[in-house]
Amino acid sequence: MAEHSVFTLSQIAQHKSKKDCWLVIDGRVLNVTRFLEEHPGGEEVLLESAGKDATKEFKDIGHSKAAQNMLQKYQVGVLQGYSFKKDADAKVTSTDEPKTKKEMSAFAIKDDSVPKFAAFLEFFVPILVAGSYFTYRYLNAGSSMV
Ligand code: HEM
């Protein structure tokens, strides 16, 4: 298949009517005009995201694999900053860093690294406190019985 056209968010924002409805999901620019009436979730939700990046909304619903596979059918291009290795490859690799992508990766990094140490502390601190308490009780009980 030919290379996809690259669009910026402001170009996509010009396609937000019922007769010409585009949105972005995972860096794919989708023309969902034909799909509005077929969408099982209704056309209103699509129109609310028209002309915008609807990746979060799409994922929050927990769309099925079948729904995810339908995305390619409506693809007319890619969002600036994204590229696809193959047409069939849904994995997005960023070539540039537009605002939205930057926000996403910053969020992902934060998500990944912080909880590990916190989880470690959350696990060991209570054990240490409980251990100290019972050791103290045990030693005290031993000495008061004598
Ligand atoms: C081209 C993009 C989209 C496709 C191909 C698509 C496809 C589908 C499909 C096949 C379903 C049926 C349930 C499933 O299989 O998961 C569905 C349900 C739904 N979709 Fe989408 N959808 C798209 C975009 C969106 C967006 C952007 C939103 C929200 C802003 C949305 C909101 C919903 C809702 C609310 C339901 C109903 C869920 C339910 O009844 O539990 N969809 N969609």
Side-chain angles (χ1 to χ4, degrees), residues 25 32 35 39-41 45-46 49 57-58 61 63-64 67 70-71:
I25 293 172
V32 292
F35 182 61
H39 183 222
V45 283
L46 294 184
S49 298
E57 288 81 353
F58 184 82
I61 301 298
H63 279 90
S64 65
M70 287 166 78
L71 298 182

Side-chain angles (χ1 to χ4, degrees), residues 120-131:
F120 177 82
L121 281 183
E122 262 174 35
F123 184 71
F124 278 106
V125 169
I127 290 181
L128 217 80
V129 171

